[in-house]
Short mmCIF file of all heavy atoms in Angstrom, two decimals:
data_model
loop_
_atom_site.label_atom_id
_atom_site.label_comp_id
_atom_site.label_asym_id
_atom_site.label_seq_id
_atom_site.Cartn_x
_atom_site.Cartn_y
_atom_site.Cartn_z
N TYR G 162 7.29 10.82 -8.57
CA TYR G 162 6.71 9.52 -8.29
C TYR G 162 5.51 9.66 -7.35
O TYR G 162 4.50 8.98 -7.51
CB TYR G 162 7.75 8.58 -7.66
CG TYR G 162 7.18 7.27 -7.22
CD1 TYR G 162 6.84 6.29 -8.16
CD2 TYR G 162 6.94 7.01 -5.88
CE1 TYR G 162 6.29 5.09 -7.76
CE2 TYR G 162 6.40 5.80 -5.47
CZ TYR G 162 6.07 4.85 -6.42
OH TYR G 162 5.52 3.66 -6.02
N ARG G 163 5.60 10.57 -6.40
CA ARG G 163 4.50 10.80 -5.45
C ARG G 163 3.34 11.56 -6.10
O ARG G 163 2.26 11.65 -5.55
CB ARG G 163 4.99 11.61 -4.25
CG ARG G 163 6.00 10.92 -3.39
CD ARG G 163 5.29 10.06 -2.36
NE ARG G 163 6.21 9.58 -1.37
CZ ARG G 163 6.59 8.32 -1.25
NH1 ARG G 163 6.11 7.40 -2.06
NH2 ARG G 163 7.45 7.95 -0.33
N GLY G 164 3.60 12.14 -7.27
CA GLY G 164 2.56 12.89 -7.97
C GLY G 164 2.39 14.31 -7.47
O GLY G 164 1.36 14.94 -7.69
N TYR G 165 3.42 14.83 -6.81
CA TYR G 165 3.37 16.18 -6.26
C TYR G 165 3.98 17.18 -7.25
O TYR G 165 4.94 16.87 -7.95
CB TYR G 165 4.16 16.28 -4.96
CG TYR G 165 3.69 15.39 -3.83
CD1 TYR G 165 4.58 14.97 -2.86
CD2 TYR G 165 2.37 14.98 -3.72
CE1 TYR G 165 4.17 14.15 -1.81
CE2 TYR G 165 1.96 14.17 -2.68
CZ TYR G 165 2.86 13.76 -1.73
OH TYR G 165 2.45 12.97 -0.69
N SER G 166 3.43 18.37 -7.26
CA SER G 166 4.01 19.44 -8.09
C SER G 166 5.11 20.13 -7.28
O SER G 166 5.15 20.06 -6.04
CB SER G 166 2.93 20.45 -8.46
OG SER G 166 2.50 21.15 -7.31
N GLN G 167 5.97 20.84 -7.99
CA GLN G 167 6.98 21.65 -7.30
C GLN G 167 6.32 22.71 -6.43
O GLN G 167 6.78 22.98 -5.32
CB GLN G 167 7.92 22.33 -8.31
CG GLN G 167 8.91 21.41 -8.94
CD GLN G 167 9.90 22.16 -9.82
OE1 GLN G 167 9.64 23.27 -10.29
NE2 GLN G 167 11.04 21.54 -10.06
N GLU G 168 5.24 23.27 -6.92
CA GLU G 168 4.53 24.31 -6.17
C GLU G 168 3.99 23.75 -4.85
O GLU G 168 4.08 24.40 -3.81
CB GLU G 168 3.39 24.90 -7.01
CG GLU G 168 3.85 25.70 -8.20
CD GLU G 168 4.31 24.84 -9.38
OE1 GLU G 168 3.99 23.62 -9.43
OE2 GLU G 168 5.01 25.38 -10.24
N TYR G 169 3.44 22.55 -4.90
CA TYR G 169 2.90 21.93 -3.69
C TYR G 169 4.01 21.72 -2.65
O TYR G 169 3.85 22.10 -1.49
CB TYR G 169 2.23 20.59 -4.02
CG TYR G 169 1.88 19.80 -2.79
CD1 TYR G 169 0.76 20.13 -2.02
CD2 TYR G 169 2.68 18.74 -2.37
CE1 TYR G 169 0.46 19.42 -0.87
CE2 TYR G 169 2.39 18.03 -1.22
CZ TYR G 169 1.27 18.36 -0.48
OH TYR G 169 0.98 17.67 0.67
N VAL G 170 5.12 21.11 -3.07
CA VAL G 170 6.19 20.84 -2.12
C VAL G 170 6.79 22.13 -1.59
O VAL G 170 7.04 22.27 -0.39
CB VAL G 170 7.28 19.93 -2.74
CG1 VAL G 170 8.43 19.73 -1.76
CG2 VAL G 170 6.69 18.59 -3.15
N SER G 171 6.98 23.11 -2.45
CA SER G 171 7.55 24.38 -1.98
C SER G 171 6.64 25.04 -0.95
O SER G 171 7.11 25.63 0.03
CB SER G 171 7.83 25.33 -3.14
OG SER G 171 6.64 25.79 -3.74
N GLU G 172 5.32 24.92 -1.14
CA GLU G 172 4.38 25.49 -0.17
C GLU G 172 4.45 24.73 1.15
O GLU G 172 4.48 25.34 2.22
CB GLU G 172 2.96 25.42 -0.74
CG GLU G 172 1.93 26.07 0.15
CD GLU G 172 0.55 26.05 -0.48
OE1 GLU G 172 0.43 26.36 -1.69
OE2 GLU G 172 -0.41 25.71 0.23
N VAL G 173 4.50 23.40 1.09
CA VAL G 173 4.55 22.58 2.30
C VAL G 173 5.82 22.85 3.10
O VAL G 173 5.79 22.92 4.33
CB VAL G 173 4.45 21.07 1.95
CG1 VAL G 173 4.78 20.20 3.14
CG2 VAL G 173 3.07 20.74 1.41
N ILE G 174 6.94 23.05 2.41
CA ILE G 174 8.20 23.26 3.13
C ILE G 174 8.50 24.73 3.38
O ILE G 174 9.51 25.08 3.96
CB ILE G 174 9.39 22.56 2.44
CG1 ILE G 174 9.71 23.18 1.09
CG2 ILE G 174 9.13 21.07 2.31
CD1 ILE G 174 10.98 22.65 0.46
N ASP G 175 7.59 25.58 2.90
CA ASP G 175 7.64 27.02 3.18
C ASP G 175 8.86 27.73 2.59
O ASP G 175 9.56 28.48 3.26
CB ASP G 175 7.55 27.28 4.69
CG ASP G 175 7.17 28.71 5.01
OD1 ASP G 175 6.46 29.33 4.21
OD2 ASP G 175 7.61 29.21 6.07
N ILE G 176 9.11 27.43 1.29
CA ILE G 176 10.09 28.21 0.53
C ILE G 176 9.46 28.58 -0.80
O ILE G 176 8.44 28.01 -1.19
CB ILE G 176 11.44 27.47 0.31
CG1 ILE G 176 11.26 26.21 -0.55
CG2 ILE G 176 12.11 27.13 1.64
CD1 ILE G 176 12.56 25.55 -0.96
N SER G 177 10.04 29.52 -1.50
CA SER G 177 9.47 29.95 -2.78
C SER G 177 9.61 28.83 -3.81
O SER G 177 10.54 28.04 -3.77
CB SER G 177 10.17 31.21 -3.28
OG SER G 177 11.46 30.88 -3.78
N PRO G 178 8.66 28.79 -4.76
CA PRO G 178 8.77 27.79 -5.83
C PRO G 178 10.08 27.89 -6.60
O PRO G 178 10.66 26.89 -7.00
CB PRO G 178 7.57 28.10 -6.73
CG PRO G 178 6.58 28.75 -5.83
CD PRO G 178 7.41 29.54 -4.85
N ASN G 179 10.57 29.12 -6.78
CA ASN G 179 11.83 29.31 -7.49
C ASN G 179 13.00 28.69 -6.71
O ASN G 179 13.86 28.03 -7.30
CB ASN G 179 12.09 30.80 -7.74
CG ASN G 179 13.30 31.02 -8.62
OD1 ASN G 179 13.44 30.38 -9.66
ND2 ASN G 179 14.18 31.90 -8.19
N SER G 180 13.03 28.90 -5.40
CA SER G 180 14.09 28.32 -4.57
C SER G 180 14.02 26.80 -4.60
O SER G 180 15.05 26.12 -4.69
CB SER G 180 13.98 28.79 -3.12
OG SER G 180 14.26 30.17 -3.04
N TYR G 181 12.81 26.27 -4.54
CA TYR G 181 12.65 24.81 -4.58
C TYR G 181 13.12 24.26 -5.93
O TYR G 181 13.83 23.25 -5.99
CB TYR G 181 11.20 24.39 -4.31
CG TYR G 181 11.04 22.90 -4.34
CD1 TYR G 181 11.47 22.13 -3.26
CD2 TYR G 181 10.54 22.25 -5.45
CE1 TYR G 181 11.37 20.75 -3.30
CE2 TYR G 181 10.45 20.90 -5.50
CZ TYR G 181 10.86 20.14 -4.42
OH TYR G 181 10.78 18.77 -4.48
#
Side-chain angles (χ1 to χ4, degrees):
Y162 174 75
R163 294 274 191 250
Y165 300 153
S166 68
Q167 286 186 338
E168 292 77 17
Y169 170 78
V170 177
S171 68
E172 184 177 315
V173 168
I174 66 172
D175 198 30
I176 64 172
S177 74
N179 187 48
S180 293
Y181 180 77

